[in-house]
């Protein structure tokens, strides 16, 4: 069993230890030390980062109470090595993890909700509760977590042996046996846990739910604590500053700017549609309706107005009318209609002779065809 130095002192970042074993696996080295301050990936939380004798620690795992460090380079079995945990990374995890205890403890206390899932990595953190809480409930919990942070309550971890904990009511995701480490935050929570925590709630600084969604029978929250929450706040503020600058609105009034932009956009779209329709009308005016059958080629940017053009053209002709729009790659969209003629035979010709794709009804066919000028002979 590896001695877990972080159980005794979560703030220990440098230590010395004897190398118990080294095993090469695919060019990486799995190193077991007699004792370590590196917390392994465990309980949904990612492992500590850092170095051993200056060599980067790529992964830290645990199996049967043995902690394995995966290193880029080799160290010697039997030697004494110096471990250095990246305390900046560790402390952020301690803030995030300790914040989770308060939130889950209060959710249990107030709503009898159980924490049924926890995930903490460098880019996301989630807590799953087995109860669907409303936005209002979650807001209330967030406020109470922050009140507990202000009170700066001690966070105390105690290891209980031989069933000493049997009269204590505590939260745990599974049935436990053997030595049990209980983490207590007075009047808030008692929970079985093996991870490092901050000394007192004040060090968590801030607890913020960033989003939530219904998940299985309950709710999943995304949240941030401490330095990660402050960094997120900074990034959000920078983003809002850029928006307010780009839209020339005061800070705090960004949404007003966005609303105006959306309203201007709607107006422009309406005007654009109006003008494009005018162009279609102009094209129909120019078209040759002297023959019964009419071939009309529109510019590509009018491709969404084939129907409108057809309706206008049908006011001028009762014969076979084809409206086409060809793009730069010579692929054309078409709509062909005739109130007097069954177009199914023409559709077969279009497919077989001209390679057209599409279909329709007896008096209306539409689709795509390459180089539509070839079809002029059909009109
Ligand atoms: Zn914990």
């Amino acid at each position: 069993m590896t001695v877990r130095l972080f159980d005794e002192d979560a703030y220990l970042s440098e230590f010395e230890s004897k190398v118990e074993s080294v095993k090469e696996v695919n060019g990486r080295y799995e190193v077991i030390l007699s004792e370590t301050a590196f917390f392994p990936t465990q309980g949904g939380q990612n492992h500590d980062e850092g170095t051993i004798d200056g060599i980067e620690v790529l992964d830290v795992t645990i199996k049967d109470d043995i902690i394995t460090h995966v290193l880029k380079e080799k160290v010697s079995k039997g030697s004494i090595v110096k471990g250095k945990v990246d305390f900046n990374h560790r402390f952020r995890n301690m803030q995030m993890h300790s914040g989770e205890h308060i939130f889950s403890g209060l959710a249990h206390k107030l709503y009898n909700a159980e924490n049924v899932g926890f995930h903490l990595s460098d880019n996301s953190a989630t807590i799953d509760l087995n109860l669907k809480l409303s936005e209002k409930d979650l807001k209330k919990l967030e406020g109470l977590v922050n009140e507990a942070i202000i009170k700066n309550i001690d966070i105390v971890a105690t290891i209980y042996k031989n069933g000493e904990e049997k009269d204590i009511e505590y939260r745990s995701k599974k049935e436990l046996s053997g030595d049990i480490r209980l983490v207590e935050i007075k009047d808030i929570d008692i929970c079985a846990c093996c991870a490092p925590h901050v000394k007192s709630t004040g060090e968590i600084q801030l607890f913020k739910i960033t989003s939530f969604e219904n998940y299985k029978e309950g709710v999943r929250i995304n949240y941030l604590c401490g330095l990660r929450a402050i960094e997120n706040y900074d990034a959000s503020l920078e983003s809002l500053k850029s928006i307010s600058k780009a839209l020339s609105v005061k800070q705090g009034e960004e949404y007003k700017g966005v609303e105006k932009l959306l309203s201007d956009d709607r107006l422009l779209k309406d005007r654009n549609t109006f003008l494009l329709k005018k162009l279609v009308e102009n094209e129909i005016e120019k078209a040759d309706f002297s023959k019964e059958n009419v071939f009309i080629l529109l510019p590509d940017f009018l491709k969404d107005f084939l129907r409108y053009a057809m309706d206008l053209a049908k006011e001028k002709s009762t014969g076979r009318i084809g409206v086409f729009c060809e793009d730069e790659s010579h692929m054309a969209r078409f709509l062909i209609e005739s109130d007097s003629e069954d177009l199914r035979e023409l559709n077969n010709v279009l497919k077989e002779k001209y390679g057209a794709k599409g279909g329709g009804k007896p008096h209306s066919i539409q689709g795509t065809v390459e180089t539509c000028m070839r079809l002029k002979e059909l009109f």
Side-chain angles (χ1 to χ4, degrees), residues 155-172:
I155 301 180
V156 182
T158 312
I159 294 173
Y160 292 87
K161 295 174 187 285
N162 309 316
E164 293 163 340
E165 79 293 343
K166 68 179 190 316
D167 294 329
I168 304 173
E169 204 177 305
Y170 61 91
R171 291 188 304 112
S172 175

Side-chain angles (χ1 to χ4, degrees), residues 97 100-101 183 193-197:
H97 180 100
E100 179 272 319
H101 273 260
V183 175
C193 184
C194 58
H197 308 83

Side-chain angles (χ1 to χ4, degrees), residues 39-182:
F39 180 74
T41 298
Q42 197 175 17
Q45 179 170 327
N46 63 350
H47 61 86
D48 280 334
E49 296 178 354
T51 57
I52 289 173
D53 267 4
I55 304 162
E56 189 187 349
V57 175
L58 303 170
D59 196 7
V60 188
T61 59
I62 185 165
K63 194 180 176 192
D64 300 331
D65 293 332
I66 303 286
I67 294 175
T68 301
H69 312 73
V70 180
L71 303 189
K72 258 183 174 174
E73 291 166 38
K74 199 176 177 178
V75 289
S76 306
K77 187 183 170 185
S79 66
I80 302 293
V81 290
K82 279 188 181 174
K84 213 171 174 181
V85 173
D86 176 346
F87 190 69
N88 183 30
H89 181 261
R90 155 69 73 80
F91 186 67
R92 282 155 195 261
N93 272 6
M94 290 187 345
Q95 287 185 311
M96 294 289 294
H97 180 100
S98 305
E100 179 272 319
H101 273 260
I102 304 178
F103 176 81
S104 300
L106 288 171
H108 186 256
K109 217 175 156 114
L110 263 71
Y111 301 103
N112 212 23
E114 296 291 341
N115 172 328
V116 288
F118 171 61
H119 163 82
L120 172 60
S121 67
D122 292 344
N123 41 33
S124 81
T126 57
I127 301 167
D128 300 337
L129 298 178
N130 67 346
L131 194 69
K132 274 192 177 36
L133 293 181
S134 68
E135 188 170 6
K136 197 175 157 199
D137 295 335
L138 292 171
K139 199 74 199 160
K140 181 177 172 184
L141 277 173
E142 182 184 270
L144 290 171
V145 176
N146 284 310
E147 275 180 27
I149 289 172
I150 293 167
K151 285 179 187 163
N152 200 21
I153 307 160
D154 287 343
I155 301 180
V156 182
T158 312
I159 294 173
Y160 292 87
K161 295 174 187 285
N162 309 316
E164 293 163 340
E165 79 293 343
K166 68 179 190 316
D167 294 329
I168 304 173
E169 204 177 305
Y170 61 91
R171 291 188 304 112
S172 175
K173 287 197 190 77
K174 53 188 179 189
E175 280 292 313
L176 299 170
S177 59
D179 293 354
I180 292 177
R181 187 173 186 259
L182 294 184

